mmCIF file of all heavy atoms in Angstrom:
data_model
loop_
_atom_site.group_PDB
_atom_site.id
_atom_site.type_symbol
_atom_site.label_atom_id
_atom_site.label_comp_id
_atom_site.label_asym_id
_atom_site.label_seq_id
_atom_site.Cartn_x
_atom_site.Cartn_y
_atom_site.Cartn_z
ATOM 1 N N ILE A 1394 -53.412 -46.118 -6.977
ATOM 2 C CA ILE A 1394 -54.650 -45.456 -6.575
ATOM 3 C C ILE A 1394 -55.768 -45.993 -7.456
ATOM 4 O O ILE A 1394 -55.656 -46.007 -8.685
ATOM 5 C CB ILE A 1394 -54.558 -43.929 -6.715
ATOM 6 C CG1 ILE A 1394 -53.442 -43.382 -5.821
ATOM 7 C CG2 ILE A 1394 -55.887 -43.276 -6.336
ATOM 8 C CD1 ILE A 1394 -53.247 -41.874 -5.929
ATOM 9 N N LEU A 1395 -56.843 -46.460 -6.827
ATOM 10 C CA LEU A 1395 -58.005 -46.984 -7.537
ATOM 11 C C LEU A 1395 -59.238 -46.153 -7.186
ATOM 12 O O LEU A 1395 -59.329 -45.598 -6.092
ATOM 13 C CB LEU A 1395 -58.257 -48.450 -7.162
ATOM 14 C CG LEU A 1395 -57.148 -49.462 -7.437
ATOM 15 C CD1 LEU A 1395 -57.554 -50.841 -6.928
ATOM 16 C CD2 LEU A 1395 -56.802 -49.519 -8.917
ATOM 17 N N HIS A 1396 -60.197 -46.129 -8.122
ATOM 18 C CA HIS A 1396 -61.449 -45.411 -7.884
ATOM 19 C C HIS A 1396 -62.636 -46.270 -8.329
ATOM 20 O O HIS A 1396 -62.605 -46.893 -9.399
ATOM 21 C CB HIS A 1396 -61.476 -44.088 -8.643
ATOM 22 C CG HIS A 1396 -62.708 -43.282 -8.389
ATOM 23 N ND1 HIS A 1396 -63.766 -43.219 -9.284
ATOM 24 C CD2 HIS A 1396 -63.070 -42.515 -7.324
ATOM 25 C CE1 HIS A 1396 -64.715 -42.449 -8.771
ATOM 26 N NE2 HIS A 1396 -64.321 -42.004 -7.593
ATOM 27 N N TRP A 1397 -63.654 -46.322 -7.484
ATOM 28 C CA TRP A 1397 -64.895 -47.038 -7.782
ATOM 29 C C TRP A 1397 -65.916 -46.026 -8.292
ATOM 30 O O TRP A 1397 -66.216 -45.035 -7.619
ATOM 31 C CB TRP A 1397 -65.413 -47.737 -6.531
ATOM 32 C CG TRP A 1397 -66.794 -48.317 -6.644
ATOM 33 C CD1 TRP A 1397 -67.949 -47.772 -6.186
ATOM 34 C CD2 TRP A 1397 -67.150 -49.562 -7.253
ATOM 35 N NE1 TRP A 1397 -69.003 -48.596 -6.459
ATOM 36 C CE2 TRP A 1397 -68.557 -49.709 -7.117
ATOM 37 C CE3 TRP A 1397 -66.435 -50.570 -7.888
ATOM 38 C CZ2 TRP A 1397 -69.240 -50.814 -7.589
ATOM 39 C CZ3 TRP A 1397 -67.118 -51.675 -8.364
ATOM 40 C CH2 TRP A 1397 -68.504 -51.787 -8.215
ATOM 41 N N ASN A 1398 -66.446 -46.251 -9.491
ATOM 42 C CA ASN A 1398 -67.371 -45.302 -10.106
ATOM 43 C C ASN A 1398 -68.826 -45.732 -10.007
ATOM 44 O O ASN A 1398 -69.694 -45.174 -10.665
ATOM 45 C CB ASN A 1398 -67.003 -45.087 -11.573
ATOM 46 C CG ASN A 1398 -67.066 -46.382 -12.380
ATOM 47 O OD1 ASN A 1398 -67.602 -47.391 -11.927
ATOM 48 N ND2 ASN A 1398 -66.513 -46.346 -13.586
ATOM 49 N N GLY A 1399 -69.083 -46.708 -9.157
ATOM 50 C CA GLY A 1399 -70.434 -47.237 -8.997
ATOM 51 C C GLY A 1399 -70.651 -48.506 -9.774
ATOM 52 O O GLY A 1399 -71.621 -49.237 -9.531
ATOM 53 N N THR A 1400 -69.718 -48.803 -10.695
ATOM 54 C CA THR A 1400 -69.823 -50.001 -11.522
ATOM 55 C C THR A 1400 -68.587 -50.880 -11.440
ATOM 56 O O THR A 1400 -68.687 -52.103 -11.364
ATOM 57 C CB THR A 1400 -70.056 -49.618 -13.002
ATOM 58 O OG1 THR A 1400 -71.227 -48.799 -13.100
ATOM 59 C CG2 THR A 1400 -70.228 -50.859 -13.858
ATOM 60 N N ALA A 1401 -67.405 -50.259 -11.448
ATOM 61 C CA ALA A 1401 -66.167 -51.033 -11.460
ATOM 62 C C ALA A 1401 -65.037 -50.211 -10.840
ATOM 63 O O ALA A 1401 -65.102 -48.980 -10.744
ATOM 64 C CB ALA A 1401 -65.804 -51.427 -12.889
ATOM 65 N N TRP A 1402 -63.967 -50.930 -10.412
ATOM 66 C CA TRP A 1402 -62.766 -50.290 -9.928
ATOM 67 C C TRP A 1402 -61.863 -49.969 -11.105
ATOM 68 O O TRP A 1402 -61.588 -50.827 -11.949
ATOM 69 C CB TRP A 1402 -62.030 -51.188 -8.939
ATOM 70 C CG TRP A 1402 -62.694 -51.268 -7.603
ATOM 71 C CD1 TRP A 1402 -63.542 -52.241 -7.160
ATOM 72 C CD2 TRP A 1402 -62.567 -50.333 -6.530
ATOM 73 N NE1 TRP A 1402 -63.959 -51.966 -5.882
ATOM 74 C CE2 TRP A 1402 -63.375 -50.806 -5.468
ATOM 75 C CE3 TRP A 1402 -61.845 -49.155 -6.364
ATOM 76 C CZ2 TRP A 1402 -63.469 -50.133 -4.249
ATOM 77 C CZ3 TRP A 1402 -61.942 -48.473 -5.158
ATOM 78 C CH2 TRP A 1402 -62.749 -48.955 -4.116
ATOM 79 N N LYS A 1403 -61.378 -48.729 -11.194
ATOM 80 C CA LYS A 1403 -60.500 -48.289 -12.259
ATOM 81 C C LYS A 1403 -59.204 -47.736 -11.673
ATOM 82 O O LYS A 1403 -59.207 -47.072 -10.634
ATOM 83 C CB LYS A 1403 -61.167 -47.204 -13.108
ATOM 84 C CG LYS A 1403 -62.496 -47.621 -13.734
ATOM 85 C CD LYS A 1403 -62.300 -48.683 -14.813
ATOM 86 C CE LYS A 1403 -63.623 -48.999 -15.512
ATOM 87 N NZ LYS A 1403 -63.445 -50.033 -16.569
ATOM 88 N N ARG A 1404 -58.111 -47.983 -12.359
ATOM 89 C CA ARG A 1404 -56.816 -47.454 -11.942
ATOM 90 C C ARG A 1404 -56.724 -45.974 -12.312
ATOM 91 O O ARG A 1404 -57.126 -45.564 -13.404
ATOM 92 C CB ARG A 1404 -55.704 -48.242 -12.628
ATOM 93 C CG ARG A 1404 -54.310 -47.933 -12.115
ATOM 94 C CD ARG A 1404 -53.311 -48.822 -12.818
ATOM 95 N NE ARG A 1404 -51.941 -48.477 -12.478
ATOM 96 C CZ ARG A 1404 -50.876 -48.977 -13.098
ATOM 97 N NH1 ARG A 1404 -51.040 -49.865 -14.084
ATOM 98 N NH2 ARG A 1404 -49.665 -48.616 -12.741
ATOM 99 N N VAL A 1405 -56.195 -45.168 -11.384
ATOM 100 C CA VAL A 1405 -56.060 -43.731 -11.583
ATOM 101 C C VAL A 1405 -54.580 -43.383 -11.690
ATOM 102 O O VAL A 1405 -53.744 -43.931 -10.971
ATOM 103 C CB VAL A 1405 -56.707 -42.954 -10.417
ATOM 104 C CG1 VAL A 1405 -56.541 -41.448 -10.600
ATOM 105 C CG2 VAL A 1405 -58.182 -43.322 -10.302
ATOM 106 N N THR A 1406 -54.251 -42.452 -12.566
ATOM 107 C CA THR A 1406 -52.861 -42.071 -12.790
ATOM 108 C C THR A 1406 -52.231 -41.477 -11.532
ATOM 109 O O THR A 1406 -52.798 -40.599 -10.885
ATOM 110 C CB THR A 1406 -52.756 -41.046 -13.929
ATOM 111 O OG1 THR A 1406 -53.300 -41.622 -15.114
ATOM 112 C CG2 THR A 1406 -51.315 -40.643 -14.172
ATOM 113 N N VAL A 1407 -51.029 -41.991 -11.207
ATOM 114 C CA VAL A 1407 -50.241 -41.487 -10.085
ATOM 115 C C VAL A 1407 -49.079 -40.694 -10.658
ATOM 116 O O VAL A 1407 -48.468 -41.110 -11.645
ATOM 117 C CB VAL A 1407 -49.721 -42.651 -9.219
ATOM 118 C CG1 VAL A 1407 -48.850 -42.136 -8.086
ATOM 119 C CG2 VAL A 1407 -50.884 -43.466 -8.673
ATOM 120 N N PRO A 1408 -48.718 -39.554 -10.076
ATOM 121 C CA PRO A 1408 -47.605 -38.766 -10.615
ATOM 122 C C PRO A 1408 -46.298 -39.549 -10.607
ATOM 123 O O PRO A 1408 -46.068 -40.390 -9.732
ATOM 124 C CB PRO A 1408 -47.539 -37.551 -9.692
ATOM 125 C CG PRO A 1408 -48.256 -37.965 -8.446
ATOM 126 C CD PRO A 1408 -49.318 -38.911 -8.902
ATOM 127 N N ALA A 1409 -45.442 -39.306 -11.595
ATOM 128 C CA ALA A 1409 -44.145 -39.967 -11.668
ATOM 129 C C ALA A 1409 -43.327 -39.621 -10.427
ATOM 130 O O ALA A 1409 -43.196 -38.459 -10.053
ATOM 131 C CB ALA A 1409 -43.412 -39.526 -12.932
ATOM 132 N N LEU A 1410 -42.758 -40.660 -9.788
ATOM 133 C CA LEU A 1410 -42.074 -40.447 -8.519
ATOM 134 C C LEU A 1410 -40.621 -40.904 -8.525
ATOM 135 O O LEU A 1410 -39.896 -40.661 -7.573
ATOM 136 C CB LEU A 1410 -42.827 -41.185 -7.399
ATOM 137 C CG LEU A 1410 -44.272 -40.730 -7.164
ATOM 138 C CD1 LEU A 1410 -44.958 -41.650 -6.176
ATOM 139 C CD2 LEU A 1410 -44.314 -39.291 -6.670
ATOM 140 N N GLY A 1411 -40.166 -41.604 -9.553
ATOM 141 C CA GLY A 1411 -38.805 -42.111 -9.562
ATOM 142 C C GLY A 1411 -38.784 -43.618 -9.617
ATOM 143 O O GLY A 1411 -39.793 -44.263 -9.898
ATOM 144 N N THR A 1412 -37.627 -44.200 -9.331
ATOM 145 C CA THR A 1412 -37.451 -45.644 -9.494
ATOM 146 C C THR A 1412 -37.476 -46.432 -8.198
ATOM 147 O O THR A 1412 -37.538 -47.650 -8.221
ATOM 148 C CB THR A 1412 -36.120 -45.916 -10.210
ATOM 149 O OG1 THR A 1412 -35.045 -45.348 -9.435
ATOM 150 C CG2 THR A 1412 -36.116 -45.313 -11.601
ATOM 151 N N ASP A 1413 -37.374 -45.773 -7.033
ATOM 152 C CA ASP A 1413 -37.407 -46.493 -5.759
ATOM 153 C C ASP A 1413 -38.790 -47.058 -5.493
ATOM 154 O O ASP A 1413 -39.784 -46.651 -6.095
ATOM 155 C CB ASP A 1413 -37.009 -45.570 -4.600
ATOM 156 C CG ASP A 1413 -35.527 -45.217 -4.627
ATOM 157 O OD1 ASP A 1413 -34.751 -46.067 -5.091
ATOM 158 O OD2 ASP A 1413 -35.183 -44.110 -4.208
ATOM 159 N N GLY A 1414 -38.875 -48.010 -4.572
ATOM 160 C CA GLY A 1414 -40.160 -48.585 -4.223
ATOM 161 C C GLY A 1414 -41.017 -47.606 -3.433
ATOM 162 O O GLY A 1414 -40.523 -46.897 -2.546
ATOM 163 N N TYR A 1415 -42.287 -47.546 -3.768
ATOM 164 C CA TYR A 1415 -43.213 -46.618 -3.111
ATOM 165 C C TYR A 1415 -44.425 -47.383 -2.605
ATOM 166 O O TYR A 1415 -44.863 -48.351 -3.220
ATOM 167 C CB TYR A 1415 -43.680 -45.531 -4.081
ATOM 168 C CG TYR A 1415 -42.580 -44.646 -4.594
ATOM 169 C CD1 TYR A 1415 -41.784 -45.036 -5.669
ATOM 170 C CD2 TYR A 1415 -42.330 -43.412 -4.003
ATOM 171 C CE1 TYR A 1415 -40.775 -44.215 -6.142
ATOM 172 C CE2 TYR A 1415 -41.318 -42.584 -4.470
ATOM 173 C CZ TYR A 1415 -40.537 -42.993 -5.546
ATOM 174 O OH TYR A 1415 -39.536 -42.178 -6.005
ATOM 175 N N ASP A 1416 -44.991 -46.895 -1.505
ATOM 176 C CA ASP A 1416 -46.149 -47.557 -0.928
ATOM 177 C C ASP A 1416 -47.089 -46.501 -0.362
ATOM 178 O O ASP A 1416 -46.687 -45.697 0.478
ATOM 179 C CB ASP A 1416 -45.699 -48.506 0.187
ATOM 180 C CG ASP A 1416 -46.816 -49.414 0.670
ATOM 181 O OD1 ASP A 1416 -47.919 -49.350 0.108
ATOM 182 O OD2 ASP A 1416 -46.571 -50.183 1.612
ATOM 183 N N LEU A 1417 -48.337 -46.492 -0.846
ATOM 184 C CA LEU A 1417 -49.351 -45.616 -0.273
ATOM 185 C C LEU A 1417 -50.103 -46.390 0.801
ATOM 186 O O LEU A 1417 -50.618 -47.476 0.549
ATOM 187 C CB LEU A 1417 -50.306 -45.110 -1.354
ATOM 188 C CG LEU A 1417 -49.695 -44.111 -2.336
ATOM 189 C CD1 LEU A 1417 -50.665 -43.828 -3.474
ATOM 190 C CD2 LEU A 1417 -49.306 -42.820 -1.618
ATOM 191 N N LEU A 1418 -50.179 -45.814 1.982
ATOM 192 C CA LEU A 1418 -50.706 -46.523 3.134
ATOM 193 C C LEU A 1418 -52.035 -45.997 3.641
ATOM 194 O O LEU A 1418 -52.737 -46.694 4.360
ATOM 195 C CB LEU A 1418 -49.687 -46.466 4.274
ATOM 196 C CG LEU A 1418 -48.368 -47.170 3.968
ATOM 197 C CD1 LEU A 1418 -47.324 -46.795 4.986
ATOM 198 C CD2 LEU A 1418 -48.572 -48.661 3.934
ATOM 199 N N GLY A 1419 -52.374 -44.783 3.313
ATOM 200 C CA GLY A 1419 -53.624 -44.249 3.837
ATOM 201 C C GLY A 1419 -54.102 -43.059 3.043
ATOM 202 O O GLY A 1419 -53.368 -42.483 2.233
ATOM 203 N N LEU A 1420 -55.356 -42.688 3.258
ATOM 204 C CA LEU A 1420 -55.917 -41.531 2.590
ATOM 205 C C LEU A 1420 -57.098 -40.986 3.368
ATOM 206 O O LEU A 1420 -57.632 -41.646 4.258
ATOM 207 C CB LEU A 1420 -56.364 -41.865 1.161
ATOM 208 C CG LEU A 1420 -57.660 -42.664 0.978
ATOM 209 C CD1 LEU A 1420 -58.223 -42.459 -0.416
ATOM 210 C CD2 LEU A 1420 -57.402 -44.155 1.209
ATOM 211 N N THR A 1421 -57.491 -39.777 3.027
ATOM 212 C CA THR A 1421 -58.687 -39.185 3.584
ATOM 213 C C THR A 1421 -59.343 -38.310 2.534
ATOM 214 O O THR A 1421 -58.683 -37.804 1.623
ATOM 215 C CB THR A 1421 -58.380 -38.350 4.841
ATOM 216 O OG1 THR A 1421 -59.592 -38.080 5.543
ATOM 217 C CG2 THR A 1421 -57.713 -37.046 4.501
#
């Protein structure tokens, strides 16, 4: 998850989910 603050893109903490592969595909 990334966030643009008007100046740069920053990485945002994602909750711990385990060891399997994960993919976020959409948001609103």
Side-chain angles (χ1 to χ4, degrees):
I1394 299 178
L1395 301 177
H1396 183 258
W1397 170 260
N1398 60 13
T1400 303
W1402 286 97
K1403 303 291 185 180
R1404 189 177 174 190
V1405 179
T1406 301
V1407 177
L1410 299 172
T1412 58
D1413 289 329
Y1415 297 83
D1416 190 3
L1417 290 172
L1418 296 167
L1420 75 159
T1421 195

